[in-house]
Amino acid sequence: MGSVIPLKKEIDNSYLELKNLVGDRLNDVNQQIKYNLASEINLIHKMTNYHLKSGGKRIRALLTLASAKLCGYNEGNRDINLAACVELIHNATLLHDDVIDNSELRRGIKTSNKVWGNQSSVLIGDYLFSRCFEMMVSDGSLEILKLLSSTSSTIAQGEVLQLEYKGAVDILEEIYFNIINSKTATLFAAATKVGACITNKSKKEKDALESYGRNLGLAFQIADDALDYYSTKTIFGKEIGKDFFEGKVTLPIILLFHKANAAEKKFLEEIFKKKIRSKTEFEEIQNLIKKYDSINSCFKRAEHFVNISYNALNIFKQSREKIILQKLTSYSLERSF
């Protein structure tokens, strides 16, 4: 029988344990990124430095390093190079996302598009992708090249799907999960599977790490969407209500719409049809979310993915790496940012 991860516990130090597990290799990833993004063009230098120094937990890069370590990789720098690739894919999509969403803040500071404009941000995002693909080719593994290139394609398709359903409060949960699976979970899955690929593990072990990453990513994104309606900018690091003001319909709204009465459904439809939504309307939505306990319902769904993620690693022998990666599954729900 699968292990059940309790949600109602204090935030542990699993993230710090993950960083300590890989030692200095995360710093090596950062140096690899810096080296590969070097350019004589001043604007590229300024924008890449600004964006990469704006923070971020490097969760995806850490997952690549830790999964490689779990699989016994202990020589060479392929894990560092590929962790850098994963991080570049993530950051390229963030640059593009901020343009699409017209975002003003990310990780508590102004977005690149607000500082330098949309055109420059799109081009820098493209630059990150192109450098990333050069690094993937230099790794020499056709399997990993296929994995990361198809992941990039899936992320783009997820963005388009989300855009297609923008403002649709009657969206099915199935569509929502397709979106977050494509936009978020696919990269998590690739990050963890890479660790098994560079160590030539069996298909069973590759599939297990892919499942671990995918389900961790799903739980991570659900928590992120829920936090947008009840966290604070101070601890969350981005504009609260960002999804609401951009007209994105995420799980808290989907669950609210299913439970709301006819008048409330009409109110929700009218709100999300608008081009601009007010802070007062956001507060009204928050009150409805509290009324129907939508946040708790979100975390109940996320708990399902946490348990799948946790149990996916059961095929690996007990080790420090396995324990830390399994602890990280609950961290995805307990985080406050």
Side-chain angles (χ1 to χ4, degrees):
M1 185 175 177
S3 303
V4 177
I5 310 303
L7 300 184
K8 305 295 185 182
K9 66 177 185 179
E10 292 183 1
I11 296 176
D12 60 22
N13 62 351
S14 55
Y15 172 74
L16 292 177
E17 287 182 11
L18 184 66
K19 284 187 70 176
N20 291 335
L21 175 67
V22 303
D24 294 331
R25 295 187 87 74
L26 184 60
N27 291 330
D28 293 338
V29 170
N30 291 329
Q31 289 303 312
Q32 183 82 331
I33 290 172
K34 186 176 180 180
Y35 173 78
N36 280 279
L37 292 183
S39 172
E40 294 180 357
I41 298 174
N42 189 44
L43 184 59
I44 292 177
H45 177 74
K46 281 184 179 179
M47 290 186 69
T48 54
N49 275 356
Y50 178 85
H51 180 73
L52 293 171
K53 286 181 179 179
S54 65
K57 296 293 180 180
R58 300 285 194 266
I59 286 287
R60 295 153 189 82
L62 283 169
L63 287 172
T64 302
L65 297 172
S67 63
K69 195 172 177 65
L70 173 72
C71 292
Y73 186 80
N74 54 19
E75 57 182 39
N77 294 317
R78 290 182 70 197
D79 59 335
I80 292 170
N81 183 62
L82 293 169
C85 286
V86 167
E87 196 62 31
L88 283 176
I89 291 171
H90 175 57
N91 279 279
T93 60
L94 293 184
L95 283 162
H96 289 165
D97 282 354
D98 287 341
V99 171
I100 293 167
D101 301 334
N102 197 29
S103 300
E104 296 185 1
L105 281 179
R106 183 173 288 280
R107 300 162 184 161
I109 69 169
K110 285 185 178 181
T111 54
S112 294
N113 54 298
K114 284 300 170 187
V115 178
W116 284 283
N118 288 339
Q119 293 176 328
S120 297
S121 290
V122 170
L123 291 173
I124 295 300
D126 292 345
Y127 177 71
L128 263 60
F129 270 128
S130 63
R131 285 298 199 199
C132 172
F133 276 89
E134 288 178 345
M135 293 165 67
M136 286 191 286
V137 170
S138 70
D139 177 73
S141 167
L142 183 59
E143 178 186 26
I144 291 174
L145 179 59
K146 286 181 177 178
L147 172 63
L148 294 181
S149 59
S150 65
T151 295
S152 300
S153 172
T154 300
I155 292 170
Q157 291 178 72
E159 283 286 358
V160 175
L161 184 61
Q162 184 174 61
L163 194 61
E164 183 180 350
Y165 283 92
K166 185 176 181 180
V169 291
D170 58 348
I171 183 176
L172 298 175
E173 279 190 56
E174 180 184 2
I175 300 296
Y176 167 79
F177 284 118
N178 284 343
I179 290 169
I180 67 169
N181 180 54
S182 298
K183 283 191 60 182
T184 302
T186 295
L187 188 54
F188 273 72
T192 49
K193 187 176 181 179
V194 160
C197 291
I198 63 175
T199 49
N200 296 315
K201 290 296 182 181
S202 67
K203 183 180 184 302
K204 184 178 179 181
E205 289 164 310
K206 289 176 183 176
D207 289 347
L209 274 168
E210 182 177 20
S211 176
Y212 167 81
R214 187 174 303 281
N215 286 283
L216 176 67
L218 289 168
F220 188 95
Q221 188 60 57
I222 292 170
D224 197 69
D225 292 343
L227 283 165
D228 197 47
Y229 282 93
Y230 81 96
S231 185
T232 67
K233 186 161 65 174
T234 303
I235 62 174
F236 198 14
K238 71 175 187 180
E239 305 150 285
I240 301 311
K242 182 175 181 289
D243 293 336
F244 172 78
F245 292 117
E246 290 170 359
K248 289 182 182 176
V249 177
T250 55
L251 193 56
I253 298 299
I254 294 168
L255 297 178
L256 170 59
F257 186 79
H258 288 166
K259 293 180 180 180
N261 60 40
E264 291 164 342
K265 279 184 167 67
K266 185 178 180 182
F267 170 72
L268 286 167
E269 288 172 344
E270 290 174 352
I271 289 296
F272 278 89
K273 281 179 183 176
K274 292 183 174 183
K275 289 185 177 180
I276 299 175
R277 281 152 290 280
S278 69
K279 289 184 178 180
T280 300
E281 288 166 336
F282 178 59
E283 290 170 0
E284 291 180 63
I285 294 294
Q286 283 183 303
N287 289 333
L288 285 175
I289 284 173
K290 289 177 184 177
K291 175 182 175 181
Y292 289 105
D293 201 18
S294 294
I295 298 301
N296 187 54
S297 296
C298 285
F299 280 97
K300 286 294 182 183
R301 281 159 175 76
E303 183 178 11
H304 167 73
F305 297 113
V306 163
N307 291 328
I308 295 174
S309 180
Y310 184 97
N311 291 319
L313 297 184
N314 284 343
I315 70 165
F316 293 94
K317 66 180 182 181
Q318 198 69 355
S319 64
R320 182 187 174 207
E321 292 82 8
K322 176 180 173 179
I323 291 169
I324 290 173
L325 285 168
Q326 286 184 320
K327 285 179 69 177
L328 189 69
T329 60
S330 56
Y331 162 82
S332 68
L333 294 184
E334 295 162 347
R335 65 198 180 91
S336 298
F337 45 84

